Amino acid sequence: MVGVPRSKGCRTCLERRVKCDENFPTCKRCDKRGLQCPGYNRPRKFYHFIGPSGEQLTTSGLPQYIIDDSVSLRLNRTACVTQQKEAFGLFVDTTFPGLYYAWSSRVDVNFIEFVRQQDDSSFGALMLGARILGTLHLGRLYKDEDKIASCRSMYSRGLQCLAELIRNPQTVKSDHTLGAAVLLAIYEILDGTGQNSWLTHSRGITALFRHRGARAHSHGVGHMLLIAFRSFIVADALIRNEPCFLAEPEWRSIIKVSVRQEGLLGKGSKLGDLIEYSFHDITIIPGLVVRTRSLSNKLTHDNPVRRQKLMRELMQSRERLTDLHSQLVTLSSHDIRLEDRPGVYGPIPVHVANLLAHFSLHGINLATALLDRLILSIDSGQLQLTGSKSALCIEPSKEYQDTAISSASDMIPMLAGGSMGQINESPDHFALSMGMMILDGGSKDQLP
């Protein structure tokens, strides 16, 4: 750095520390003393300087980190973040192909686009979540244990960042916060510290959804985040033996709104609509389980009005799901020519549509079977219920007519842990089943 004296006097007067009369071309003080006045040119000298980034000047006067190095560091950082975003895209493409491609062209912003839109300088909770999942995917792909182990360290940092976002009233309702929570929960599902450790995240995500409100998830990023995690929310409610908040009217209305909007925007399809309506009915099943267990723990003839009302709801729900199942079977029939399917599949790719239909049908089958068991637990296998003829004509399947349910704890076998393999080994299939694969009891469902 160049230092310049503040006084305008000659150098001799400055050194003597006396006031210079600044006479031109030489000062009178120097003339009186018989000295040659050096004039008024300002001398310059260099001082040692430490910049704001901490780089020191070398003896040659150049900084240790010159501007090219600074630009290089920024370029390296940008390239690193870009690679992390692409690795996350590979993770989604490999781990959730059905869920992603079934909805990617139907939502306003898909998850990969959402991550790519983040600022390259951002290393917050959302980008850490994307980085963790991308690194986990690459570690498993190349069998690199060091990469897999590094995810746990990044996960701890991600949790700290997420906690800060949740504590801040200005960020607790943001898409960034909810997106980060979803990504960290998915990591916990795939490589968790315990068999059901993901439930802790799920409970927190449920609280975030409810705190943001249903309207925040009817469109945009909020709608995409709801679709990404809603199957796990249903499974969480079944495991905890609690009603699912997605069954509340304001949340169920989102499904009807989204179906209507997709139709208006030309993104709708018969297959997509049927699956949305199926999920619409599946959300109420956890609540039906809770109510059935509550009644099953009481005397057989206790409060018959409540029992009849519950029985009617169970049978109506089963009837709706049976009808939706039949329509899905018809749509996925191989007798329909591919050229006749644009209105059936819409923007959903054909190979993904087949996967989506298969596991959605599997989820409906599991939900219907559970409803059969709930009906039998109330009525001991005999449907003595007043109501419409169509409801009375629905009979439980033969498999469950031969099964006596003596206690509420036997209704959902292996629910608290036996089906965990279905989640972390095939999370995409689990999501496409609308969370109903939690009822599989650990069995593997294979594609035909």
Side-chain angles (χ1 to χ4, degrees):
M1 177 179 179
V2 179
V4 181
R6 295 180 180 178
S7 174
K8 297 180 180 180
C10 72
R11 186 173 180 182
T12 300
C13 292
L14 287 174
E15 290 177 351
R16 294 181 61 217
R17 297 185 179 181
V18 296
K19 182 174 179 60
C20 180
D21 58 17
E22 301 179 15
N23 189 48
F24 190 82
T26 58
C27 75
K28 293 181 180 180
R29 285 184 179 274
C30 289
D31 291 341
K32 288 180 180 181
R33 293 177 61 85
L35 300 175
Q36 184 177 357
C37 183
Y40 303 103
N41 291 329
R42 295 184 179 184
R44 293 175 174 81
K45 60 182 177 180
F46 291 89
Y47 293 87
H48 183 71
F49 174 71
I50 298 178
S53 60
E55 69 269 23
Q56 295 187 5
L57 298 178
T58 61
T59 55
S60 63
L62 295 175
Q64 293 178 356
Y65 300 102
I66 59 177
I67 188 169
D68 288 342
D69 294 327
S70 150
V71 171
S72 177
L73 288 173
R74 288 197 296 271
L75 290 175
N76 288 337
R77 181 188 181 96
T78 301
C80 179
V81 174
T82 301
Q83 289 175 351
Q84 291 169 4
K85 292 177 180 179
E86 294 308 307
F88 173 73
L90 290 174
F91 163 79
V92 174
D93 194 60
T94 304
T95 312
F96 290 96
L99 182 65
Y100 175 73
Y101 288 106
W103 274 274
S104 62
S105 58
R106 296 158 56 193
V107 294
D108 298 330
V109 180
N110 63 55
F111 221 133
I112 293 180
E113 291 174 347
F114 178 50
V115 170
R116 285 176 176 168
Q117 289 172 1
Q118 301 304 308
D119 186 353
D120 288 350
S121 63
S122 172
F123 275 88
L126 179 66
M127 284 305 300
L128 273 172
R131 182 182 178 188
I132 291 166
L133 294 175
T135 304
L136 179 66
H137 168 68
L138 294 176
R140 290 181 171 180
L141 180 64
Y142 296 107
K143 297 180 173 58
D144 189 333
E145 295 299 329
D146 290 337
K147 276 189 173 63
I148 296 174
S150 69
C151 292
R152 182 56 55 178
S153 174
M154 289 189 287
Y155 175 63
S156 298
R157 288 165 48 201
L159 290 178
Q160 293 173 1
C161 292
L162 178 60
E164 292 175 1
L165 291 174
I166 293 174
R167 285 194 294 265
N168 187 342
Q170 297 180 346
T171 58
V172 66
K173 292 185 178 182
S174 70
D175 293 335
H176 185 107
T177 301
L178 182 58
V182 168
L183 292 183
L184 293 176
I186 290 173
Y187 171 72
E188 194 68 49
I189 288 171
L190 297 174
D191 193 29
T193 54
Q195 189 176 44
N196 285 314
S197 55
W198 67 276
L199 290 174
T200 302
H201 279 282
S202 182
R203 175 54 61 91
I205 291 172
T206 294
L208 287 176
F209 273 119
R210 304 197 73 165
H211 188 50
R212 286 162 55 100
R215 292 183 61 183
H217 301 92
S218 61
H219 60 280
V221 175
H223 185 58
M224 177 271 292
L225 293 173
L226 177 61
I227 290 174
F229 204 72
R230 64 184 185 179
S231 295
F232 300 99
I233 291 174
V234 172
D236 176 288
L238 283 169
I239 292 173
R240 296 180 188 275
N241 189 34
E242 296 176 353
C244 181
F245 78 93
L246 295 176
E248 297 171 5
E250 62 270 25
W251 290 93
R252 296 185 79 196
S253 66
I254 292 176
I255 294 177
K256 295 181 179 180
V257 170
S258 65
V259 168
R260 183 168 58 253
Q261 288 296 324
E262 285 180 11
L264 293 174
L265 296 173
K267 299 179 180 180
S269 65
K270 294 180 181 178
L271 176 63
D273 293 352
L274 286 176
I275 290 173
E276 289 297 282
Y277 290 135
S278 298
F279 186 83
H280 182 271
D281 281 309
I282 279 177
T283 58
I284 69 173
I285 289 181
L288 293 174
V289 171
V290 173
R291 291 167 59 192
T292 304
R293 279 178 165 164
S294 175
L295 285 178
S296 297
N297 291 331
K298 298 180 180 180
L299 297 175
T300 305
H301 300 292
D302 181 48
N303 203 337
V305 175
R306 286 180 57 192
R307 288 177 177 272
Q308 288 183 1
K309 180 181 178 182
L310 177 56
M311 179 70 83
R312 184 179 293 105
E313 291 181 31
L314 289 168
M315 296 178 67
Q316 289 174 348
S317 178
R318 187 186 186 282
E319 182 179 19
R320 288 192 301 268
L321 287 174
T322 302
D323 180 58
L324 290 167
H325 182 277
S326 299
Q327 294 184 56
L328 275 173
V329 169
T330 302
L331 284 184
S332 57
S333 171
H334 295 289
D335 295 335
I336 303 177
R337 296 178 302 172
L338 290 178
E339 56 267 26
D340 296 334
R341 294 194 176 195
V344 175
Y345 289 174
I348 305 174
V350 173
H351 68 285
V352 174
N354 293 332
L355 187 73
L356 178 62
H358 173 76
F359 284 101
S360 296
L361 287 170
H362 182 52
I364 294 173
N365 281 332
L366 291 168
T368 305
L370 176 58
L371 290 172
D372 284 341
R373 300 184 72 171
L374 297 178
I375 292 169
L376 283 170
S377 70
I378 293 177
D379 209 44
S380 301
Q382 298 180 5
L383 301 180
Q384 299 173 357
L385 177 67
T386 58
S388 66
K389 291 184 179 180
S390 59
L392 291 173
C393 291
I394 300 175
E395 295 292 337
S397 62
K398 183 63 169 62
E399 175 187 357
Y400 292 108
Q401 285 181 355
D402 298 335
T403 304
I405 303 176
S406 58
S407 66
S409 61
D410 293 332
M411 272 191 234
I412 310 177
M414 307 294 287
L415 193 56
S419 302
M420 186 58 193
Q422 292 286 1
I423 305 180
N424 55 21
E425 292 177 15
S426 54
D428 190 42
H429 299 168
F430 186 90
L432 295 181
S433 76
M434 297 170 279
M436 290 295 101
M437 281 176 66
I438 200 69
L439 304 173
D440 258 353
S443 63
K444 300 286 184 182
D445 182 68
Q446 301 294 334
L447 282 170

